[in-house]
Amino acid sequence: MSVTRDRSDLRVRVATSLKAVPAAAWDACANPQARPAGAIAVAPESACEAADSLSELNRDNPFVSHAFLRALEESGCVGGRSGWSPAYLLVEDGEDRLLAAAPSFVKGHSQGEYVFDHGWADAYERAGGRYYPKIQVAAPFTPATGPRLLVADGSRADEARAGLIAGLEALRDQVRASSIHVTFAQEPDLGALTAAGYLERHDLQFHWQNEGFASYDEFLATLASRKRKALKRERREALSAGITVEVLSGAKLTEAVWDDFHAFYEDTGSRKWGRPYLNRRFFSAIGQAMGERIVLVMARRAGRYIAGAINFRGRNMLYGRNWGCIEDHPFLHFELCYHQAIDYAIAHGLARVEAGAQGEHKIARGYRPVVTRSAHYLADPGLRRAVAAYLDSERMHIAQAQQELAAESPFRKGGEA
């Protein structure tokens, strides 16, 4: 597949596999301004600030790295019959240097995206339209905000970003897609996309913010007394059945460990959404390719692992991803997914924990409601008008929900930095 859309001496083309793209060239676009390890950013003035207010923290995002996307390919989680057909856009100059790229896919369904457009698809097809295929620009199966129009630093960055947007439209024309969806995006991508006519959509997640805490107890001290006591009790009870916790990275991520974690993931994922998206080969692939960026929290009881939660680390962020278990114990999910993530972030000087999609129960554990954003281009004027009206209303609802949820915060008055 090829897309040629010249902009001056720039050329836009499509690669159907990252095997054809050198890792160093891709990563120079994906994470061009990664922050020094251990640097802590200044906390926002308001706990309700949008996710892109801290977009500088996402300049070392593991989910758009060559290693992560290549692992999805090699394991067959994308490509083949998955419904995620890679169509990576590449912008190159006259000397074949890669200036920009996009993790773009041609999709035949709306699964694994966490920004739900099933209602749009159903309405359009009832009206006689054809919604699929569509173009998705995303980190597959990953509801984490980050760069989506991956642009290397340099004097031609804005030109290269514009080349990607033009390339997306050319790709849409070529495959006759109904729409283009750029999910969990941040600035400056959002500004460029909305200027190009994309519609902006909002949703909520829950993130924990490090305010320079030296310990978990110091964080607890910012909570109201009743909430503080409840979390201490919750953590004790989570491990009361003789459960111990291990945090594994790098060489400790053995194949035996991945066997256990995948069993947890399969069991829990099958009960939650029917068919887990990630297969066993994927975990081996990421363990080999990026094991030092993985923080796997495992619970052990009676000599065997019984539950686990996988996190990925950026320079200044911890991203909670998947959880699973084969034994049910009160509060163990909260301990592995939320409390242990906070412990790790404090110990390693990370600025924020993003705990994944949904989950208002995270508020009681010190996580705050944060707006996430996506951008959508719909080619049919009628569908676009209907969706635009819906999104106007939805954004107002999200803003109101954010305020109401923030009011339920466990922090004591005056306890926020």
Side-chain angles (χ1 to χ4, degrees):
M1 183 185 299
S2 65
V3 171
T4 301
R5 180 72 60 97
D6 290 331
R7 303 180 65 86
S8 181
D9 66 327
L10 299 187
R11 181 180 73 253
V12 184
R13 66 182 180 91
V14 170
T16 56
S17 172
L18 282 186
K19 293 178 182 179
V21 184
W26 178 278
D27 288 336
C29 296
N31 293 305
Q33 297 179 18
R35 298 171 64 90
I40 295 185
V42 177
E45 293 183 1
S46 167
C48 295
E49 289 190 48
D52 62 68
S53 67
L54 293 175
S55 62
E56 70 275 8
L57 300 182
N58 291 314
R59 296 304 181 95
D60 182 30
N61 187 289
F63 305 117
V64 292
S65 69
H66 193 279
F68 184 83
L69 295 170
R70 182 74 184 273
L72 289 171
E73 273 190 41
E74 291 178 345
S75 62
C77 293
V78 301
R81 298 182 179 180
S82 68
W84 292 76
S85 298
Y88 306 115
L89 283 178
L90 309 174
V91 177
E92 298 166 328
D93 66 12
E95 298 180 7
D96 295 331
R97 290 176 297 202
L98 186 64
L99 302 185
S104 41
F105 302 83
V106 179
K107 291 204 64 193
H109 55 65
S110 292
Q111 298 171 9
E113 299 167 6
Y114 299 92
V115 176
F116 303 108
D117 64 346
H118 300 87
W120 305 355
D122 291 345
Y124 191 52
E125 295 193 353
R126 285 198 306 270
R130 187 171 67 97
Y131 196 75
Y132 302 106
K134 65 178 187 177
I135 306 299
Q136 190 79 23
V137 183
F141 320 118
T142 307
T145 293
R148 294 295 179 260
L149 305 180
L150 315 180
V151 181
D153 285 341
S155 60
R156 307 191 70 179
D158 290 342
E159 188 181 359
R161 183 175 287 106
L164 285 177
I165 294 173
L168 284 170
E169 176 59 18
L171 178 61
R172 191 196 66 78
D173 286 343
Q174 187 176 87
V175 302
R176 299 182 179 181
S178 71
S179 50
I180 306 168
H181 307 265
V182 185
T183 46
F184 297 100
Q186 64 184 39
E187 296 294 355
D189 298 343
L190 279 163
L193 290 164
T194 54
Y198 284 63
L199 304 175
E200 185 170 330
R201 188 176 192 183
H202 292 180
D203 203 351
L204 287 178
Q205 285 188 353
F206 301 90
H207 300 171
W208 180 84
Q209 182 69 35
N210 190 349
E211 297 168 355
F213 301 120
S215 67
Y216 185 84
D217 283 341
E218 189 171 313
F219 155 65
L220 282 182
T222 66
L223 307 185
S225 176
R226 181 172 58 86
K227 301 292 187 180
R228 185 165 60 245
K229 292 177 181 177
L231 292 189
K232 286 183 176 181
R233 182 173 63 252
E234 177 175 289
R235 297 199 72 177
R236 287 195 303 269
E237 292 184 15
L239 307 180
S240 62
I243 296 170
T244 58
V245 174
E246 300 174 14
V247 179
L248 309 177
S249 295
K252 294 181 179 180
L253 298 171
T254 65
E255 292 302 300
V257 167
W258 286 129
D259 284 341
D260 287 335
F261 179 75
H262 182 254
F264 309 154
Y265 169 74
E266 281 279 336
D267 182 77
T268 300
S270 297
R271 285 185 278 113
K272 287 179 65 176
W273 53 76
R275 186 175 66 101
Y277 299 122
L278 304 173
N279 59 34
R280 175 63 182 83
R281 289 174 295 170
F282 170 77
F283 294 106
S284 289
I286 56 167
Q288 293 170 9
M290 53 192 303
E292 296 301 329
R293 304 191 71 173
I294 295 171
V295 179
L296 185 64
V297 182
M298 297 286 277
R300 183 186 290 274
R301 190 186 73 82
R304 67 167 187 165
Y305 290 128
I306 61 167
I310 189 170
N311 305 268
F312 288 79
R313 179 176 171 171
R315 289 283 187 182
N316 222 4
M317 306 273 284
L318 189 68
Y319 301 90
R321 285 301 302 113
N322 305 108
W323 136 274
C325 66
I326 55 172
E327 291 184 10
D328 292 323
H329 294 273
F331 306 121
L332 185 59
H333 172 234
F334 300 147
E335 174 65 24
L336 297 192
C337 294
Y338 310 134
H339 301 309
Q340 287 289 330
I342 292 173
D343 283 344
Y344 185 93
I346 292 172
H348 293 82
L350 304 183
R352 192 166 65 182
V353 178
E354 292 195 9
Q358 303 172 339
E360 294 181 10
H361 55 273
K362 297 167 188 172
I363 293 176
R365 279 92 201 162
Y367 290 72
R368 313 170 195 254
V370 173
V371 171
T372 59
R373 293 181 160 107
S374 58
H376 307 265
Y377 179 82
L378 302 140
D380 185 283
L383 178 61
R384 176 185 172 83
R385 285 192 298 270
V387 169
Y390 170 78
L391 293 182
D392 286 343
S393 174
E394 186 182 53
R395 285 193 299 271
M396 293 177 60
H397 172 76
I398 291 296
Q400 181 180 357
Q402 184 187 31
Q403 291 182 347
E404 293 172 353
L405 290 167
E408 299 176 10
S409 163
F411 294 93
R412 57 184 171 82
K413 291 183 179 180
E416 298 182 48

